[in-house]
C-alpha cells in the first residue's frame, strides 16, 4: 500500500492511499481457497470444485467483500502507522473510475485530537455547599404524603356534595339516546373538583345528596382520544349512591403501616434519606460547576471543528425542540437564532472541557472496567426491541466510537469524582434556597461568559506543533452532561440548559450528552454544561 500525505494543517490531515490490484487479487485467491471446500456444484464431489470455477461463480461477491475489508484494514493501518488520534470517524472515499482489476485509490480525511499535557490536579480548592435536613422539611414531606393518601367517610344523607367531597356513583352515558361503549360504570369514585372526568361533569354534581338521581349533559373535547366521541354532546344518567367527606389522616405508626412500612420511624428514615439524596445531587451540581469553571478559566486552545459542530448541532436541536413547544414557536425560534453565536461558543467550551477531563482521566489511570462497560451496553440495548438487542450489542462491541459514546457519561463522573478526591474541599451549610441560588448564579455567570469569549490561555503543549491543538482530550471519552436543578424555563432556556448543562463532554468519539433544565439567564451559558 502506498501512502501520500496531501494535507497537514492544524488538526486536519488528508492522505491518498493506493491499494494495488495485485494485493487485492491475492486476497481474493486466498478467499477462494478458504471457501472452495464448502462449495457444491453438480458433477463435482464435495470440496473438489476447481478454484477457477469457484472464482467464476462467486468472484464479484468475493471481490466486494475483499475490497471492503482491505479498505478498512488500510485505513486502520494508516491511523496506527501515523499515530493519529481521530476526533471523529475518518472520511474515506474511493476515487472515481475504479473497477475490478485496477489499483484502488482512496482519499482519507481525518481531524485529529490536539496534543496537550494533562492539567495539574494539585492545589485545587472547592467549596461544598451542604443542606442539613430540617424538621420543617420532614414535616412538609409527611404532609405531602398524607395529602396523597386521602381517606373518606360516609356523610349524612342530607349533606350536599361540595368541592373536595367524594361521590360513589353509577352512571350510564348515551349520545342521541343510544348508549356508547365505555360510557357505563358502577360504584365509580369521583372527587368533585379533581378534574378526573371530562369538563362539566363534576360541576353539575355539586349539591347532590346521597340517593339523588340526575341527568347531566356534557360535550366531549374535540381532542378526546376516542374519535367516535370527540366533540359529541352526551347525556349521563347518574345515581348518587353515597356522598363522602374527607377524613383527616393521622400521621402515626398505623399510617406508616398503611404504606407498607414497619413504623412511623421507618417512614421518617426513608424520607430523610430521599431528602439527603436530592440535596446531595444539588451539591454535586454546584461543585462540578465550580470545577469546570476553573478548568475553563485556565485552558483555552484550538479544538477539532467537526467535534464543535457536532456538539453545536446537539445543542441546537434541543433548543429548536423546546422552542417548538412554546406558545409562540416563531418568536422563540427568533430569540434563539439571535444568540446562535453564543451557543456555538458554548459548544466549543463543552468540547474543550471534555478533552481536558479525558486527558486528566487518562493521565491518572481513570478507567471504565469491562464489567461496567458490559452493564452500559446491556442498559443501552434495552431501548431496542428484544429481537434487535443482540444485533445492537454486537455492533457496539465491534465499533470503538459507539463504545466511546456509551462510556462517556460514566467516564466523566469518574474523572470528576477523582478531582473531587484530590481537591481541598471546604464545607459550608446553607439552606436549600441558598444552594439553588448559588447554582443559578453560576449559570448566569456562564451565560455572560458565552457572550464575550475570554482571552486565550494556552495549555502546555507536548510539542511545538501541538500548540494550536493544545487540547488533546482523548477521543475515547466525552464526559457527558449532568443536570442542574432548575426551575422550568421557556424553550430557549430549558433547551439551552440541556445543552449547556453538559459543559464537559469528554470529547472525541462521543456524541453529546443530554442535560437538565436551568434558569433562563443561565440557560444560554448552561446550555452545554451538565453538572450533577
Amino acid at each position: 500500500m502506498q501512502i501520500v500525505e496531501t494535507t497537514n494543517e492544524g488538526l486536519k490531515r488528508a492522505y491518498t492511499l493506493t491499494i494495488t490490484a495485485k494485493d487485492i487479487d491475492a486476497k481474493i485467491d486466498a478467499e477462494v481457497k478458504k471457501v472452495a471446500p464448502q462449495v457444491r456444484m453438480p458433477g463435482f464431489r464435495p470440496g473438489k470444485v476447481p478454484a477457477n470455477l469457484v472464482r467464476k461463480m462467486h468472484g464479484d461477491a468475493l471481490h466486494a467483500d475483499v475490497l471492503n475489508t482491505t479498505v478498512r484494514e488500510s485505513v486502520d493501518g494508516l491511523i496506527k502507522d501515523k499515530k493519529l488520534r481521530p476526533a471523529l470517524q475518518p472520511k474515506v472515499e474511493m476515487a472515481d473510475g475504479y473497477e475490478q482489476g485496477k489499483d484502488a485509490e482512496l482519499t482519507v480525511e481525518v481531524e485529529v485530537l490536539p496534543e496537550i499535557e494533562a492539567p495539574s490536579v494539585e492545589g485545587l480548592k472547592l467549596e461544598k455547599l451542604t443542606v442539613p435536613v430540617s424538621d420543617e422539611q420532614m414535616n412538609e414531606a409527611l404532609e405531602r404524603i398524607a395529602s396523597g393518601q386521602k381517606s373518606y367517610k360516609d356523610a349524612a344523607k342530607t349533606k350536599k356534595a361540595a368541592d373536595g367531597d367524594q361521590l360513589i356513583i353509577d352512571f350510564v352515558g348515551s349520545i342521541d339516546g343510544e348508549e356508547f361503549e365505555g360510557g357505563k360504570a358502577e360504584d365509580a369514585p369521583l372527587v368533585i373538583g379533581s378534574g378526573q372526568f371530562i369538563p362539566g361533569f363534576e360541576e353539575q354534581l355539586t349539591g347532590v345528596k346521597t340517593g339523588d338521581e340526575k341527568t347531566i349533559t356534557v360535550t366531549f373535547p374535540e381532542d378526546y382520544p376516542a374519535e367516535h366521541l370527540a366533540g359529541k354532546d352526551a347525556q349521563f344518567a347518574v345515581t348518587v349512591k353515597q356522598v363522602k367527606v374527607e377524613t383527616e389522616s393521622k400521621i402515626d405508626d398505623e399510617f406508616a403501616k398503611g404504606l407498607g412500612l414497619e413504623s412511623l420511624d421507618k417512614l421518617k428514615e426513608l424520607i430523610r434519606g430521599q431528602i439527603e439524596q436530592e440535596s446531595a445531587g444539588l451539591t454535586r451540581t454546584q461543585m462540578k460547576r465550580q470545577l469546570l469553571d476553573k478548568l475553563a478559566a485556565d485552558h483555552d486552545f484550538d479544538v477539532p471543528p467537526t467535534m464543535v459542530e457536532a456538539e453545536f448541532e446537539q445543542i441546537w436541536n434541543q433548543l429548536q425542540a423546546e422552542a417548538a413547544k412554546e406558545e409562540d414557536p416563531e418568536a422563540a425560534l427568533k430569540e434563539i437564532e439571535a444568540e446562535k453565536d453564543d451557543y456555538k461558543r458554548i459548544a466549543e467550551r463543552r468540547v474543550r472541557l471534555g478533552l481536558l477531563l479525558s486527558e486528566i482521566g487518562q493521565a491518572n489511570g481513570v478507567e471504565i472496567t469491562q464489567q461496567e462497560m458490559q452493564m452500559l451496553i446491556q442498559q443501552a440495548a434495552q431501548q431496542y426491541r428484544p429481537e434487535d438487542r443482540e444485533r445492537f450489542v454486537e455492533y457496539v462491541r465491534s465499533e470503538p466510537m459507539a463504545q466511546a459514546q456509551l462510556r462517556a457519561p460514566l467516564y466523566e463522573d469518574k474523572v470528576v469524582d477523582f478531582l473531587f478526591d484530590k481537591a481541598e474541599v471546604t464545607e459550608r451549610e446553607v439552606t436549600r434556597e441558598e444552594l439553588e441560588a448559588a447554582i443559578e448564579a453560576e449559570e448566569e455567570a456562564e451565560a455572560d461568559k458565552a457572550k464575550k469569549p475570554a482571552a486565550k490561555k494556552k495549555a502546555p503543549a507536548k510539542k511545538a506543533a501541538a500548540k494550536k491543538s493544545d487540547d488533546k482530550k482523548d477521543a475515547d471519552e466525552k464526559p457527558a452532561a449532568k443536570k442542574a436543578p432548575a426551575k422550568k424555563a421557556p424553550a430557549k432556556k430549558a433547551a439551552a440548559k440541556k445543552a449547556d448543562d453538559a459543559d464537559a463532554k469528554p470529547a472525541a468519539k462521543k456524541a453529546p450528552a443530554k442535560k437538565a433544565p436551568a434558569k433562563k439567564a443561565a440557560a444560554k451559558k448552561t446550555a452545554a454544561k451538565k453538572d450533577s
Side-chain angles (χ1 to χ4, degrees):
M1 178 177 69
Q2 299 172 357
I3 302 175
V4 177
E5 184 178 69
T6 57
T7 301
N8 188 335
E9 299 175 357
L11 302 178
K12 294 183 178 180
R13 305 287 185 275
Y15 303 87
T16 297
L17 309 185
T18 302
I19 306 171
T20 66
K22 182 179 178 181
D23 287 342
I24 296 173
D25 198 57
K27 291 185 178 183
I28 292 176
D29 284 341
E31 282 300 305
V32 168
K33 291 178 181 178
K34 187 186 300 182
V35 303
Q38 285 83 47
V39 174
R40 298 291 183 269
M41 183 181 293
F44 295 93
R45 286 179 297 165
K48 297 300 182 179
V49 181
N52 63 323
L53 288 181
V54 173
R55 184 160 186 157
K56 184 175 182 180
M57 291 173 58
H58 304 287
D60 290 343
L62 289 172
H63 175 265
D65 288 344
V66 165
L67 185 61
N68 286 335
T69 300
T70 304
V71 168
R72 184 175 63 251
E73 291 175 347
S74 298
V75 174
D76 290 345
L78 167 70
I79 291 172
K80 183 178 180 180
D81 292 345
K82 298 295 183 180
K83 296 182 172 56
L84 303 177
R85 296 186 312 119
L88 295 173
Q89 191 72 39
K91 179 182 177 182
V92 182
E93 292 183 349
M94 180 80 73
D96 292 339
Y98 172 75
E99 59 185 46
Q100 192 168 342
K102 290 186 176 180
D103 293 347
E105 187 175 280
L106 311 174
T107 57
V108 180
E109 297 178 3
V110 60
E111 218 164 56
V112 298
L113 294 172
E115 295 291 329
I116 61 169
E117 291 186 358
S120 172
V121 298
E122 304 302 325
L124 184 61
K125 295 182 179 181
L126 298 172
E127 182 179 44
K128 181 178 183 179
L129 304 182
T130 61
V131 180
V133 180
S134 66
D135 291 340
E136 182 181 3
Q137 284 178 297
M138 291 291 293
N139 292 334
E140 286 178 356
L142 286 169
E143 290 296 336
R144 281 197 301 271
I145 294 173
S147 67
Q149 300 291 321
K150 292 180 179 178
S151 58
Y152 297 86
K153 65 179 181 180
D154 293 348
K157 293 188 177 182
T158 56
K159 159 72 174 168
K160 292 184 177 181
D163 272 3
D165 291 341
Q166 185 187 63
L167 305 180
I168 304 300
I169 59 176
D170 294 344
F171 60 83
V172 178
S174 60
I175 295 177
D176 296 331
E178 296 290 331
E179 290 186 23
F180 56 85
E181 184 180 356
K184 183 177 182 178
E186 295 182 355
D187 296 327
L190 169 63
V191 177
I192 295 180
S194 65
Q196 182 180 349
F197 281 35
I198 61 175
F201 193 103
E202 297 168 18
E203 293 85 341
Q204 294 181 58
L205 293 177
T206 300
V208 299
K209 301 186 297 295
T210 298
D212 283 356
E213 294 183 357
K214 185 171 185 178
T215 298
I216 62 178
T217 299
V218 294
T219 301
F220 282 94
E222 293 291 343
D223 59 353
Y224 195 71
E227 293 184 8
H228 67 290
L229 299 177
K232 300 286 184 64
D233 291 332
Q235 293 73 44
F236 285 87
V238 180
T239 299
V240 181
K241 301 178 80 170
Q242 185 63 58
V243 175
K244 293 175 173 281
V245 293
E246 184 180 349
T247 59
E248 183 178 350
S249 296
K250 187 176 180 182
I251 302 175
D252 54 15
D253 285 343
E254 289 305 312
F255 175 75
K257 289 176 182 178
L259 296 173
L261 299 170
E262 298 175 12
S263 64
L264 180 58
D265 286 341
K266 285 293 183 183
L267 175 59
K268 289 181 176 179
E269 183 181 324
L270 180 63
I271 292 173
R272 179 177 295 277
Q274 291 175 335
I275 295 174
E276 288 175 342
Q277 185 176 26
E278 187 176 342
S279 295
L282 294 179
T283 294
R284 180 182 172 84
T285 293
Q286 184 266 338
M287 284 185 67
K288 183 177 175 183
R289 290 223 168 111
Q290 283 185 70
L291 173 65
L292 296 180
D293 289 347
K294 288 178 184 295
L295 289 176
D298 293 337
H299 302 85
D300 201 350
F301 43 79
D302 290 342
V303 293
T306 53
M307 290 182 67
V308 174
E309 185 60 28
E311 202 69 36
F312 171 74
E313 285 301 318
Q314 175 81 10
I315 294 171
W316 198 244
N317 289 339
Q318 290 173 341
L319 289 167
Q320 290 180 314
E322 290 297 327
K325 299 175 185 176
E326 291 296 300
E327 291 183 9
D328 188 346
E330 289 187 12
L333 286 170
K334 185 176 180 180
E335 185 177 4
I336 63 173
E337 187 70 39
E339 298 175 335
K340 200 167 187 175
D341 288 343
D342 290 349
Y343 294 116
K344 287 182 177 179
R345 282 190 284 272
I346 286 170
E348 183 176 335
R349 167 188 160 107
R350 188 169 168 179
V351 170
R352 183 174 293 109
L353 284 170
L355 293 173
L356 286 169
L357 287 179
S358 181
E359 186 63 34
I360 291 170
Q362 288 193 5
N364 293 279
V366 178
E367 296 180 344
I368 300 295
T369 66
Q370 283 297 323
Q371 184 177 4
E372 289 170 333
M373 193 64 216
Q374 289 306 314
M375 187 180 302
L376 290 173
I377 293 174
Q378 292 302 325
Q379 288 174 345
Q382 296 307 307
Q383 66 184 299
Y384 295 94
R385 297 177 304 175
E387 59 269 28
D388 294 331
R389 289 173 188 168
E390 188 57 37
R391 187 166 52 183
F392 169 79
V393 170
E394 290 303 318
Y395 164 73
V396 173
R397 286 174 176 166
S398 64
E399 182 52 64
M401 287 193 178
Q403 293 177 35
Q405 184 172 357
L406 285 179
R407 189 166 47 223
L410 179 58
Y411 190 81
E412 174 192 351
D413 283 342
K414 284 196 159 192
V415 176
V416 168
D417 286 338
F418 167 79
L419 291 172
F420 284 168
D421 289 341
K422 286 288 185 180
E424 178 185 329
V425 179
T426 57
E427 293 192 19
R428 178 162 63 93
E429 286 191 359
V430 296
T431 64
R432 168 72 175 254
E433 292 69 27
E434 288 172 331
L435 177 54
E436 291 178 341
I439 292 172
E440 289 176 4
E442 289 172 352
E443 290 173 354
E444 290 173 5
E446 286 311 309
D448 291 339
K449 290 175 189 173
K451 291 181 181 177
K452 311 184 214 176
K456 282 200 167 193
K457 294 184 183 177
K458 299 240 182 109
K462 288 184 177 174
K463 308 177 189 172
K467 174 169 104 169
K468 279 178 81 189
S469 34
D470 268 359
D471 159 36
K472 142 189 171 238
K473 209 77 199 307
D474 223 291
D476 268 11
E477 273 95 11
K478 225 182 182 175
K482 245 123 219 217
K483 354 163 188 213
K487 306 175 178 181
K488 188 104 182 198
K492 170 177 127 186
K493 151 205 246 196
K497 203 187 278 196
K498 287 180 179 178
D500 208 12
D501 236 4
D503 233 344
K505 267 193 144 176
K509 321 187 168 181
K510 224 133 316 352
K514 311 171 178 164
K515 139 291 20 299
K519 235 178 160 190
K520 175 164 190 174
K524 275 194 277 181
K525 183 63 205 134
T526 15
K529 177 178 180 197
K530 243 187 175 185
D531 279 329
S532 143

